[in-house]
Amino acid sequence: MRLAPDEVLGDGRYLLLEPCGADERAGMEFWHARDLGRGYDVALTVLLGDPSDQVAVRSARHVLEGVRYAESMEHAALAMVLEVPPPGRVAAARDGVLGFVIAEWFEGVDLVDGVFGAHLPIATACRLLRPLVDAVDAGHHAGVVAGVDSPGRIRIAEHGAAVLAFRGTPPVSTTRDDVSALGAVLYLLLTGVWPMADSDGQLVDPTALRPEVPMDLALVAVLSLDTTQGPGIRTCGPLLRALDEVIAYEPQPEVYEEPAPEPATVPRRRLRTFTRSAFRGRRLAAALGTLAVAVAVLIGTQVAGAFGAADTTVAQPKPTSPVTTTTKPSVTTTTTKPPPPPPPPVTPATVREYVVAGSQDNPHTLSRVIDGDPGTMWHTDTYRQQFPVYTPGIGIVAGFAKPVPLASVTIESPSAGTVVQIRAAPSADVSLATPVLATATLTAGATTIPLPAHAATPYLLVWITHLNDTGGGFQSLIGEITCQPASA
């Protein structure tokens, strides 16, 4: 974070008290602040960036215009927008503040600090989330994206409900991201952990972590997140119905116990130190990435962003030798025939980039992955944050001259730690609804990924869900993609 406690924004009016999170997609920081002019606390969404960077300036303007459009919406689960100052009134103690949004402050606890590792009563969890889902649903009907796919925005208010405390939605956020994020929050409330994947890359059912979770409620959480096995849930309606069923079954309110507050006698400076200690939980949320997730599915692993396929390093297959058997006591020796030589590797005839959000990275150099030279590389853009913050992933669609039954895929890459999914597609019109055949973590060099037996396929999708950490960003390189046909 570039700002620090005790800095003052807005021509000396807003004193920064405590950081509450960040969203790097639009250079946002979320702050608990004090309105020195009016004498009350506020929630401050601060937009940071280089004033000479026109892309950052346009992004900030887009966010502020979106807030002005949405501020007429009133809902108990949405912090009321108090002011969106014009650019001339965003002066800070140092340069780089492009704008900010002032909203009402909700006393309570941060989402992660409040429930991570806890097992709330099921009905309490549903009551806690239900108002926020209703608010997001109302926003979608009004054409407004809530932007709940960043966990730092959400707080649990003193009245025991989740609220969108920090207003301002990144331009890249969609209504689908909102629904996926709500599914992730429901998963967290039911299990006490963020969505996780098993060794096969499948989302772990909440009932496996907590058997008393109703199956219908668990299914709604999973389908809100996981779009790999079907269309998934794309609107708030199924979430609302599932929550209402649980609430109606157990109508008596349950008490949500918040962490014990700091004694009122503790001075402000001491209180600030206390909340900074609690902020460690927020660092965990930042490490897991935003909920867009995707949180799309978002399908990533806890390693790959928060939701999705688990890391699986694939070992090289060992060669087999002919088997010789001798019959005794007869003098006749029978030797089995050696297995036929494997068919030669197949190189895809065509390749193209596949994206579900944003623009393609480097399509003009993609042909390098099938040019027969592992030393020539195609690479993704360098991202400031790990997938799925900006996009749930990026893919390469490989087409073959004719449908081929494949035994394995070999990827030459220097980007160790890159996580890929191999998906089969019946046509060039691929999507993430296609089945996952295998998931693997690339090693430096050649990584061979065995595939289960399946019908011949004319197209293959190599879907990257986790990029290599270069130390200065996140980027993956691929030198060559070859495929081994299955033996006849």
Side-chain angles (χ1 to χ4, degrees):
M1 291 189 179
R2 294 170 54 185
L3 298 175
D6 297 328
E7 288 195 46
V8 179
L9 307 183
D11 294 332
R13 180 170 172 180
Y14 298 103
L15 173 67
L16 300 183
L17 300 178
E18 200 67 40
C20 298
D23 189 334
E24 295 294 337
R25 293 171 298 173
M28 295 183 186
E29 292 187 5
F30 310 131
W31 283 85
H32 177 198
R34 182 77 172 174
D35 186 331
L36 299 176
R38 293 189 171 92
Y40 53 69
D41 288 2
V42 294
L44 215 59
T45 300
V46 186
L47 304 173
L48 299 174
D50 184 350
S52 64
D53 183 348
Q54 292 304 307
V55 174
V57 171
R58 284 195 298 270
S59 176
R61 186 182 302 119
H62 185 104
V63 172
L64 298 177
E65 289 173 353
V67 173
R68 292 188 181 99
Y69 174 77
E71 64 181 330
S72 59
M73 285 188 56
E74 295 184 2
H75 196 286
L78 300 178
M80 181 173 59
V81 176
L82 303 177
E83 189 179 1
V84 183
R89 291 181 49 211
V90 297
R94 51 179 152 177
D95 297 332
V97 177
L98 302 180
F100 52 84
V101 180
I102 302 102
E104 66 175 317
W105 172 251
F106 281 99
E107 294 292 348
V109 294
D110 172 87
L111 170 68
V112 178
D113 290 341
V115 300
F116 193 85
H119 275 187
L120 298 178
I122 303 299
T124 298
C126 292
R127 287 192 183 91
L128 190 153
L129 182 60
R130 209 274 182 197
L132 183 58
V133 178
D134 185 64
V136 173
D137 185 52
H140 289 181
H141 283 90
V144 174
V145 178
V148 293
D149 54 337
S150 179
R153 297 179 185 277
I154 303 173
R155 292 179 61 79
I156 302 173
E158 286 183 323
H159 58 270
V163 297
L164 183 62
F166 296 93
R167 303 295 295 271
T169 304
V172 296
S173 290
T174 66
T175 56
R176 180 69 184 91
D177 295 334
D178 279 345
V179 175
S180 294
L182 291 172
V185 174
L186 177 59
Y187 194 110
L188 170 65
L189 294 174
L190 295 176
T191 65
V193 297
W194 287 118
M196 61 176 62
D198 60 19
S199 58
D200 296 323
Q202 301 298 311
L203 200 62
V204 175
D205 193 303
T207 59
L209 302 173
R210 192 178 177 190
E212 65 266 31
V213 173
M215 293 184 63
D216 290 348
L217 194 61
L219 182 62
V220 166
V222 169
L223 291 180
S224 298
L225 283 162
D226 191 351
T227 60
T228 61
Q229 303 301 321
I233 292 175
R234 299 180 180 274
T235 66
C236 296
L239 277 167
L240 286 171
R241 288 191 291 272
L243 295 173
D244 286 342
E245 286 180 6
V246 174
I247 294 171
Y249 181 77
E250 191 170 349
Q252 293 301 319
E254 299 170 3
V255 177
Y256 172 72
E257 296 183 2
E258 299 178 5
E262 191 77 358
T265 56
V266 177
R268 167 68 79 179
R269 178 66 62 181
R270 174 67 179 87
L271 177 60
R272 217 173 289 164
T273 303
F274 168 78
T275 53
R276 186 173 294 114
S277 173
F279 187 65
R280 286 177 296 184
R282 300 189 184 100
R283 292 200 185 99
L284 172 62
L288 293 173
T290 63
L291 299 179
V293 27
V295 195
V297 197
L298 301 166
I299 291 280
T301 52
Q302 277 187 297
V303 195
F307 324 107
D311 265 358
T312 306
T313 302
V314 181
Q316 300 286 347
K318 297 180 179 179
T320 57
S321 302
V323 178
T324 302
T325 58
T326 304
T327 305
K328 295 181 179 181
S330 172
V331 295
T332 302
T333 301
T334 303
T335 304
T336 61
K337 293 182 179 180
V346 175
T347 300
T350 61
V351 287
R352 66 177 177 85
E353 284 190 27
Y354 172 71
V355 297
V356 296
S359 59
Q360 296 183 351
D361 282 8
N362 293 290
H364 59 286
T365 61
L366 188 60
S367 61
R368 294 175 181 176
V369 305
I370 58 171
D371 65 358
D373 181 2
T376 58
M377 303 280 179
W378 168 84
H379 60 81
T380 68
D381 288 346
T382 299
Y383 291 81
R384 293 170 61 190
Q385 280 193 304
Q386 183 61 264
F387 291 161
V389 173
Y390 298 101
T391 177
I394 188 169
I396 299 173
V397 180
F400 300 93
K402 61 180 181 180
V404 182
L406 299 176
S408 64
V409 174
T410 298
I411 299 177
E412 296 260 5
S413 170
S415 303
T418 299
V419 178
V420 299
Q421 295 175 350
I422 307 298
R423 297 167 177 258
S427 70
D429 186 20
V430 301
S431 73
L432 293 186
T434 57
V436 179
L437 302 180
T439 300
T441 300
L442 302 186
T443 57
T447 302
T448 297
I449 307 169
L451 302 181
H454 64 88
T457 181
Y459 292 93
L460 204 66
L461 173 60
V462 179
W463 181 243
I464 301 173
T465 63
H466 188 81
L467 298 170
N468 175 48
D469 186 350
T470 65
F474 299 91
Q475 182 189 56
S476 291
L477 290 77
I478 293 181
E480 203 71 18
I481 297 176
T482 56
C483 302
Q484 182 64 45
S487 301

